[in-house]
Amino acid sequence: MSRHDAGKPEQAAREAWLGEQARKPRRRRVVLADSTKKSGKALRTIIELEEQTSVGEKLVRDLIRQQLKSAFGLAFAVLVGMCLLPITFFAFPQIGDLEVLGIPVPWLVLGLAPFPILYAVGWVFRRQAERHERDFVNMVDR
């Protein structure tokens, strides 16, 4: 035995260690889904999106247009709803005379009602945006 072999394990211990390593499962490389299953049209659409061709730009522009249409529609609904509240209180002054716990009802409605309404509108918009994106992905994958 040379002086370089002094710190190394003996051959039997080395074989036992290698046998233990051989029993452990080997690491497997995980790759994205098999691309042979995709149709040629979906692959072509994805390439057009990645290369930003005119067709890809139109697809993205349509997605953005759908998102903007949803956003402006909900914003218009919120704006109309919020503007109708003060107009209602002005048109029917007897509502202003009502009080709950010493606080006038118009102050309660204008101070507290918008928050749950705005939260609900945000939730609806998020659901619509996710639906538009899901439809876009499904259209691209076809």
Side-chain angles (χ1 to χ4, degrees):
M1 190 186 253
S2 71
R3 66 179 182 172
H4 298 292
D5 293 333
K8 293 184 180 177
E10 293 185 21
Q11 188 67 19
R14 185 173 186 273
E15 293 295 329
W17 183 78
L18 286 176
E20 182 181 314
Q21 290 295 325
R23 282 181 290 209
K24 288 184 180 177
R26 295 186 53 92
R27 296 177 86 187
R28 298 183 79 193
R29 183 174 179 191
V30 178
V31 185
L32 292 175
D34 187 13
S35 62
T36 59
K37 295 178 184 177
K38 292 183 179 178
S39 66
K41 183 181 180 204
L43 185 60
R44 184 174 57 238
T45 307
I46 292 170
I47 290 171
E48 287 174 353
L49 286 173
E50 289 176 351
E51 292 180 357
Q52 297 178 351
T53 62
S54 61
V55 174
E57 286 179 14
K58 181 174 180 350
L59 292 172
V60 172
R61 208 174 319 121
D62 288 344
L63 173 65
I64 293 171
R65 187 175 294 127
Q66 284 179 334
Q67 300 284 28
L68 280 173
K69 186 177 176 184
S70 295
F72 285 139
L74 288 172
F76 181 74
V78 167
L79 184 66
V80 168
M82 294 299 168
C83 289
L84 284 178
L85 286 174
I87 293 170
T88 304
F89 296 138
F90 182 75
F92 303 103
Q94 61 271 22
I95 296 175
D97 296 336
L98 300 175
E99 289 185 359
V100 175
L101 300 173
I103 302 171
V105 170
W107 281 93
L108 286 174
V109 171
L110 291 172
L112 297 177
F115 295 106
I117 293 169
L118 291 175
Y119 182 81
V121 168
W123 182 79
V124 168
F125 176 71
R126 184 182 56 89
R127 295 277 310 249
Q128 285 181 349
E130 289 173 351
R131 189 185 72 223
H132 292 313
E133 290 171 1
R134 196 171 36 250
D135 292 344
F136 176 77
V137 168
N138 289 339
M139 190 246 332
V140 168
D141 283 343
R142 272 192 286 148

